[in-house]
Amino acid sequence: MIETVASVGLPIDEMLEIKKNRIMPDSPSKNMKRISIVTGIHGDELEGQYVCFELQQRINKEKEKLTGIIDIYPAINPLGIDSITRGIPAFDLDMNRLFPGNIDGNMTEYLAAGIIEDISGSDCVVDIHASNIYLTEIPQIRINELHEDTLVPMAMEANVDFIWVHGASTVLESTFAYSLNSTGTPVLVVEMGVGMRITKEYGQQMTDGILNLMYKMGIWKGKPPKIKRPVLSKDPGDVYYLNASVSGLFIPAARHGAKLKKGEIIGCITDPLCGKVLDEVKAPADGMLFTIRDYPIVDEGSLIGRLLKKEVCGYE
């Protein structure tokens, strides 16, 4: 059932509407659990759009196995998605810096407050993001250490490759996830893929994870998919950040997600004018490459990738 979560008038007799699709069992019961799938807070992050589609395709094929409520919010920032803009166009605002909003505030604050009110009380929220156009990320869940006791067990069931627990000081209080987590509605923040694109295999992997979560929550009676057991990192020292030493054209040599040895070449920064290799980007230690540069032009200091050290990955 399609419902309007919040709406406001726009110039020239237009309406901005944020919608959700609520899917319920044909024979609903009392006290059913609810899972909410949220994406499109940033208009240039489209990986979650495919997850919304794929999840509904699978559920509709076996609707009789549904025993709870699924709320799907594919476009929290519809103006941003329509214009392929990260923030809210014309306002120059990052929507993920507006929560929890204010029902009596301006247009953007009002929309944020309406979204929070509608989603609050979910038994689990999956907030799906992509990276920007510059970097590609393996499917991962990022968690504020303040909520790790609640969220890590849920994240372990979500079929991601990596769970990254961050210090509380690195998390902004105005984000969607923080606003809900701090009031008792658990939110898993997923990062995967690349901006402005859809990585089909990641979307299918995430859909498997959501169905497994639903099974564990008692929302889905279908056979749970086989899932990955993710790597868990809580120590900031587990991650190496690889930054460009010079400006140029980055040519990758390692595949995303590769398990590398110390000194192995990840890619080269080149000079197209002179045909020279300016620098070789090498793995600083044994580990897994979980972020890699997708957009080839780099400036000095640009992030090339992130490497998770081998001791955490647990591979031989």
Side-chain angles (χ1 to χ4, degrees):
M1 178 173 59
I2 307 297
E3 301 178 17
T4 298
V5 174
S7 64
V8 293
L10 295 174
I12 324 298
D13 294 327
E14 294 181 313
M15 292 291 294
L16 189 162
E17 296 182 323
I18 297 172
K19 296 184 177 182
K20 73 176 180 183
N21 188 7
R22 169 162 286 190
I23 307 173
M24 298 178 64
D26 293 331
S27 301
S29 59
K30 291 183 178 180
N31 302 319
M32 291 186 299
K33 289 191 174 181
R34 173 166 61 120
I35 187 169
S36 294
I37 313 303
V38 175
T39 188
I41 289 178
H42 293 132
D44 61 351
E45 298 178 358
L46 305 176
E47 300 280 10
Q49 299 271 307
Y50 178 73
V51 175
C52 292
F53 165 78
E54 180 69 12
L55 181 62
Q56 291 182 79
Q57 287 279 299
R58 297 196 201 179
I59 289 170
N60 288 333
K61 289 178 181 177
E62 301 181 284
K63 182 76 178 300
E64 70 281 0
K65 295 179 180 177
L66 184 65
T67 56
I69 301 170
I70 308 169
D71 281 339
I72 295 178
Y73 304 76
I76 292 293
N77 177 10
L79 290 180
I81 290 176
D82 286 348
S83 58
I84 322 176
T85 304
R86 181 172 179 81
I88 303 174
F91 292 88
D92 195 26
L93 292 172
D94 184 337
M95 192 168 193
N96 211 23
R97 302 295 183 268
L98 298 175
F99 296 100
N102 181 353
I103 204 70
D104 297 316
N106 63 31
M107 185 191 96
T108 56
E109 294 171 328
Y110 168 79
L111 291 173
I115 292 164
I116 291 292
E117 181 180 5
D118 196 78
I119 297 175
S120 290
S122 299
D123 294 284
C124 178
V125 180
V126 183
D127 176 23
I128 304 174
H129 293 259
S131 186
N132 53 36
I133 64 170
Y134 302 103
L135 302 166
T136 300
E137 302 278 4
I138 63 172
Q140 60 196 265
I141 289 176
R142 299 180 181 179
I143 292 173
N144 182 340
E145 65 182 2
L146 295 175
H147 308 293
E148 65 175 292
D149 290 346
T150 299
L151 297 181
V152 168
M154 301 174 84
M156 294 295 290
E157 305 294 341
N159 200 35
V160 293
D161 296 276
F162 178 36
I163 299 172
W164 196 359
V165 179
H166 284 273
S169 61
T170 66
V171 180
L172 295 175
E173 296 183 6
S174 55
T175 62
F176 170 79
Y178 184 93
S179 296
L180 284 172
N181 276 319
S182 62
T183 57
T185 297
V187 182
L188 299 174
V189 179
V190 177
E191 295 274 352
M192 66 180 190
V194 63
M196 297 189 185
R197 299 290 184 271
I198 288 174
T199 312
K200 191 174 180 180
E201 60 269 31
Y202 289 170
Q204 292 173 339
Q205 179 179 338
M206 195 68 242
T207 303
D208 285 345
I210 292 171
L211 286 170
N212 186 64
L213 262 175
M214 290 168 56
Y215 175 82
K216 297 292 184 181
M217 294 170 64
I219 295 176
W220 182 248
K221 293 192 299 184
K223 182 179 179 182
K226 185 178 180 181
I227 65 166
K228 298 183 177 184
R229 305 315 297 180
V231 174
L232 174 64
S233 170
K234 298 183 181 182
D235 186 344
D238 292 343
V239 175
Y240 295 93
Y241 291 79
L242 313 174
N243 297 94
S245 61
V246 294
S247 300
L249 182 75
F250 175 67
I251 309 296
R255 72 180 168 81
H256 190 218
K259 297 177 175 65
L260 303 175
K261 298 288 187 182
K262 182 177 181 179
E264 194 170 342
I265 295 176
I266 293 171
C268 297
I269 300 175
T270 64
D271 180 351
L273 179 63
C274 301
K276 295 181 179 179
V277 174
L278 302 176
D279 189 31
E280 291 182 332
V281 182
K282 298 180 180 180
D286 294 357
M288 177 179 68
L289 186 67
F290 72 91
T291 304
I292 192 168
R293 186 82 178 184
D294 191 81
Y295 189 78
I297 302 300
V298 297
D299 295 317
E300 183 179 350
S302 295
L303 185 63
I304 297 291
R306 299 187 188 96
L307 189 80
L308 183 67
K309 64 183 183 183
K310 177 181 177 180
E311 292 82 353
V312 182
C313 299
Y315 67 86
E316 296 298 327

